[in-house]
Amino acid sequence: MEDTQPQQTSSASVRKNAACTECRQQKMRCEGDPSIWDPPACSRCRRLKIPCVFSAPFRRTHKRKRLQELEEETTALKRQLLSASPAAPGNHLPSGHAQPPRQEEDIDVSRIPTARIMCRNEPSADNDPTLSRTIDGLELVPGIIDDCFELYFKDYHSILPILDPSVTPNTFYQHAPFLFWVVVSIGSRRYTRQPTLTRALALPVTQLALQSIVVRTKPINRMKALILLLNWPFPSDPFYRDPSFLLGGALLHMAMQCGLHAPTFSQDFSKIYSKLPVQEPLRSAEMWAYVVITYQRTCSGSGQANLVSFEIYNEQIHFKTLLEKLPVTLRIQIQISNVITRAHKALLDLGLLSMTPQQERTMDALLDGFNTELDSLENLASSIWDRLYIASARQDLVVMHFYKSATTLDMQSCMLIFNATSSVLEQVRNLDRDYGLHRICTRFLLTVTLLSLASMARILKGPFAGYLDQVRGYDLFNTGVRFARSCSIQKADYGERGAAFAEQIWKSKKVFRNPDGSINITLRVRNRLSSGPLHDVIRCWKEEFFDLEYIHSAPGMDIETVIPSSATAGLDTTLAPSSVPNGAPSNFSAAPEFLLNDELWGDLELGLSDNWDVAGSSMSWMA
């Protein structure tokens, strides 16, 4: 008995330790043999490609307990970071109730009476020096943050004064981190010390914009951030598609959900009924005006119709009273937005796809009426900025004459288009000369300039060009191209590509012509409203330079001479001498060497896929 007992104990011990650690954790059969020096991996570990370890001291880990330990550890780390974070001093949270990062509070930063923004080398009077901030691994030191804030309030704030310049960057970050990063992003657009900062911020700040839609706190600060981001969006590139049109719809619905469209009765859209301060309805009406203007311009620049009729809300007696108390410039812009919205709705009701002579005469009467409303607004315009917005609206209306047929588009209509387009380009030139407009140009004004270039090229290549002041037209076209290129903040962005695109359209000998060679400046793209002339030019350009049938039909033509690339010569933008009347100036600079491909179409809201032809998609549609 004494001899057999140790043998049984040893045998049981070997059987107990025969399985590897992973198999024992999962209670699986294991054929491993720990008695062999450097035993080979068992079949299960080899199949799963995991380490096969034989360990005598083993304790099975309970999965739920392990997950609970990890959650407790994560909560403790978050609590430790928040308590040590200088962005939220004294914010000690109880155990198990850690506040999630970047959570906005129900505070409007424009109403916080704090110190003014200090220069990076100036001591802070309230002992609140700017702190370093990090977003997705990108850390910005206080000097860069201060510089970007100073650039924003120095250059951009006057165009869209919806923030309080006295609020410090620390306060912005503490109460509205999304708005903080938007201000930094806009200020970095012309920041020469860090020229790549804007591109680095594009993706993480856009992700914050998308996340802000589902945050449940008071959204005033998020709406302000979206308004700024829609006016100065990030430059697009092959890895970033501008989401402005989608964010514009989110902005509008967010404002209506908060009751900004009915500022006097905003309690009807709130969880708690409370007595509003005297100034609250006026502040809500002002915010709603900025939302309306931004949404309308986003739709107009994208060639889309507004989905909301704002005149319904403007008919309220209380709302009209509040509008009269707003600044004159803001009242002019809100009335312009209403005119364009009603004009687009009336023309859509009239029908643009195929117009009869009677419909065209009706369209002339409608456009005359809306132009009369714009004439009345000019009496209120007190600055050159007001006149520029009115001129842009007038151009939006008169370019609708291009929807007429080739037989009814007469010289009078072309003269109206030429004068309206010339007025826009002249005012853009003057503002750029006097105030450096290219440095602070919004996306809306840049799109208006590109529409002017497309309309001017169509008119000057049309059948009535001989009756127009062509020298003036060529000079303004040249000025518009230079302005669009000067608006560029990044290589191959919207401004630079738009300028190169306009130059190629100008030198084309096939654009605005029928297959038989006759001139035709009417539109084939008839669903993009005021942006129709621009999108129609894009279609003509695509057919000439990217249509495979055209490329193959040209004998002896090398494809690289049609589609330029960085490896070949750049765009040839030299005007043919015969196309410049009376020695009109032509000093187009050489276009950059890049391909005008999908990035430009993304900026112009063309297509969500990589293909132009939907029929070529691999998706199969099911009935």
Side-chain angles (χ1 to χ4, degrees), residues 64 89 100 115 136 152 158 243 247 250 261 297 308 354 413 434 446-448 491 503 506-507 518 568 600:
R64 290 187 178 178
D136 286 357
Y152 169 80
S158 59
L247 293 178
H261 61 288
R297 290 175 180 175
V308 176
S354 179
S413 299
D434 299 336
L446 179 55
T447 304
V448 166
K491 181 176 176 56
E503 290 177 341
W506 176 252
K507 75 182 184 65
S518 59
T568 60
L600 177 62

Side-chain angles (χ1 to χ4, degrees), residues 268-532:
D268 297 342
F269 301 87
S270 176
K271 296 180 181 178
I272 303 175
Y273 283 86
S274 59
K275 185 177 180 180
L276 296 177
V278 178
Q279 293 297 325
E280 189 64 27
L282 182 59
R283 293 173 60 86
S284 298
E286 183 179 4
M287 189 66 185
W288 172 247
Y290 282 115
V291 170
V292 169
I293 294 168
T294 302
Y295 174 72
Q296 183 272 320
R297 290 175 180 175
T298 302
C299 291
S300 180
S302 303
Q304 302 282 359
N306 296 351
L307 300 182
V308 176
S309 179
F310 302 110
E311 58 185 350
I312 296 177
Y313 307 108
N314 296 348
E315 290 176 356
Q316 298 180 12
I317 298 177
H318 299 283
F319 194 84
K320 284 186 175 181
T321 303
L322 292 175
L323 285 180
E324 294 175 356
K325 299 179 181 179
L326 296 179
V328 176
T329 298
L330 192 57
R331 293 207 310 268
I332 290 176
Q333 294 184 49
I334 191 68
Q335 292 182 47
I336 289 174
S337 296
N338 288 328
V339 169
I340 297 300
T341 300
R342 289 187 287 109
H344 286 175
K345 184 179 183 302
L347 294 174
L348 286 174
D349 292 340
L350 180 64
L352 297 175
L353 292 179
S354 179
M355 301 181 68
T356 63
Q358 177 61 34
Q359 288 175 315
E360 292 182 357
R361 287 191 291 271
T362 303
M363 182 180 70
D364 289 340
L366 289 173
L367 294 178
D368 288 341
F370 290 122
N371 269 304
T372 302
E373 294 187 40
L374 294 179
D375 291 338
S376 63
L377 292 180
E378 286 187 344
N379 299 327
L380 301 176
S382 59
S383 68
I384 190 172
W385 296 97
D386 297 336
R387 291 190 290 272
L388 174 60
Y389 292 130
I390 295 175
S392 302
R394 195 183 305 280
Q395 176 180 256
D396 269 10
L397 294 178
V398 299
V399 297
M400 301 299 292
H401 287 290
F402 282 128
Y403 284 92
K404 294 181 178 179
S405 64
T407 57
T408 56
L409 182 59
D410 54 8
M411 183 182 66
Q412 182 179 1
S413 299
C414 292
M415 184 67 71
L416 290 174
I417 299 173
F418 178 81
N419 291 335
T421 302
S422 299
S423 176
V424 170
L425 291 176
E426 286 176 345
Q427 294 189 47
V428 167
R429 178 193 60 193
N430 296 338
L431 280 170
D432 191 43
R433 179 193 61 209
D434 299 336
Y435 303 100
L437 178 61
H438 70 278
R439 293 180 50 84
I440 56 178
C441 183
T442 62
R443 169 58 66 90
F444 169 71
L445 292 179
L446 179 55
T447 304
V448 166
T449 302
L450 294 182
L451 175 61
S452 301
L453 294 177
S455 301
M456 183 66 76
R458 188 180 294 268
I459 287 293
L460 294 180
K461 289 176 176 287
F464 302 104
Y467 300 93
L468 305 174
D469 188 350
Q470 297 183 56
V471 174
R472 177 192 177 199
Y474 291 127
D475 180 65
L476 290 175
F477 186 88
N478 189 10
T479 300
V481 171
R482 289 198 306 267
F483 173 77
R485 180 168 286 113
S486 65
C487 291
S488 173
I489 63 173
Q490 177 180 303
K491 181 176 176 56
D493 63 358
Y494 186 36
E496 188 174 6
R497 286 179 177 273
F501 168 78
E503 290 177 341
Q504 273 205 323
I505 286 297
W506 176 252
K507 75 182 184 65
S508 171
K509 293 182 173 57
K510 295 180 176 294
V511 70
F512 312 132
R513 291 185 178 273
N514 294 319
D516 60 359
S518 59
I519 298 176
N520 184 5
I521 61 174
T522 59
L523 301 181
R524 291 180 296 172
V525 176
R526 307 184 70 86
N527 288 285
R528 305 309 292 259
L529 298 172
S530 299
S531 295

Side-chain angles (χ1 to χ4, degrees), residues 16-289:
K16 181 178 180 181
N17 296 331
C20 67
T21 301
E22 291 294 333
C23 292
R24 293 167 71 181
Q25 171 68 29
Q26 302 297 331
K27 295 184 179 181
M28 302 294 291
R29 185 182 300 275
C30 180
E31 75 279 7
D33 187 0
S35 62
I36 303 176
W37 177 260
D38 193 14
C42 65
S43 59
R44 181 174 177 274
C45 292
R46 287 197 304 270
R47 185 176 71 255
L48 299 178
K49 297 181 179 180
I50 58 179
C52 185
V53 180
F54 293 89
S55 176
F58 170 78
R59 180 183 178 185
R60 181 175 288 106
T61 302
H62 197 280
K63 292 184 178 179
R64 290 187 178 178
K65 184 177 181 181
R66 179 57 178 162
L67 291 176
Q68 183 179 1
E69 292 177 354
L70 291 175
E71 290 178 357
E72 292 177 354
E73 183 180 356
T74 303
T75 302
L77 290 174
K78 286 183 177 180
R79 190 162 56 248
Q80 182 179 359
L81 288 174
L82 287 174
S83 62
S85 175
N91 187 16
H92 300 285
L93 301 177
S95 177
H97 295 82
Q99 181 181 1
R102 294 174 185 162
Q103 177 115 15
E104 298 184 27
E105 301 180 12
D106 297 343
I107 300 176
D108 186 355
V109 296
S110 296
R111 303 172 63 182
I112 301 177
T114 55
R116 64 188 178 89
I117 298 176
M118 298 296 177
C119 299
R120 50 182 288 179
N121 295 324
E122 183 178 351
S124 177
D126 59 349
N127 196 23
D128 185 26
T130 303
L131 303 172
S132 299
R133 304 298 179 186
T134 303
I135 179 171
D136 286 357
L138 176 64
E139 181 180 0
L140 299 186
V141 298
I144 294 178
I145 295 175
D146 286 337
D147 288 347
C148 291
F149 265 76
E150 290 175 12
L151 287 172
Y152 169 80
F153 284 105
K154 174 186 174 183
D155 297 333
Y156 303 92
H157 174 70
S158 59
I159 296 182
L160 204 57
I162 60 176
L163 301 181
D164 186 356
S166 65
V167 179
T168 62
N170 289 340
T171 305
F172 270 101
Y173 187 86
Q174 180 179 356
H175 298 293
F178 174 38
L179 183 56
F180 168 87
W181 287 111
V182 169
V183 172
V184 172
S185 302
I186 297 175
S188 67
R189 292 168 65 90
R190 298 282 178 177
Y191 188 37
T192 56
R193 292 170 59 95
Q194 296 289 339
T196 61
L197 179 57
T198 305
R199 178 182 296 182
L201 291 171
L203 184 57
V205 175
T206 302
Q207 290 174 347
L208 282 181
L210 300 177
Q211 294 171 9
S212 69
I213 299 175
V214 297
V215 177
R216 293 185 296 176
T217 57
K218 187 177 180 180
I220 295 298
N221 294 327
R222 301 197 309 278
M223 283 190 287
K224 290 184 177 182
L226 288 176
I227 290 174
L228 295 177
L229 193 58
L230 289 171
N231 279 274
W232 292 284
F234 290 102
S236 62
D237 55 39
F239 305 101
Y240 178 82
R241 177 65 62 85
D242 180 28
S244 295
F245 184 62
L246 303 179
L247 293 178
L251 170 65
L252 176 71
H253 293 160
M254 192 182 300
M256 296 184 68
Q257 189 178 41
C258 298
L260 293 184
H261 61 288
T264 309
F265 310 100
S266 58
Q267 301 96 328
D268 297 342
F269 301 87
S270 176
K271 296 180 181 178
I272 303 175
Y273 283 86
S274 59
K275 185 177 180 180
L276 296 177
V278 178
Q279 293 297 325
E280 189 64 27
L282 182 59
R283 293 173 60 86
S284 298
E286 183 179 4
M287 189 66 185
W288 172 247

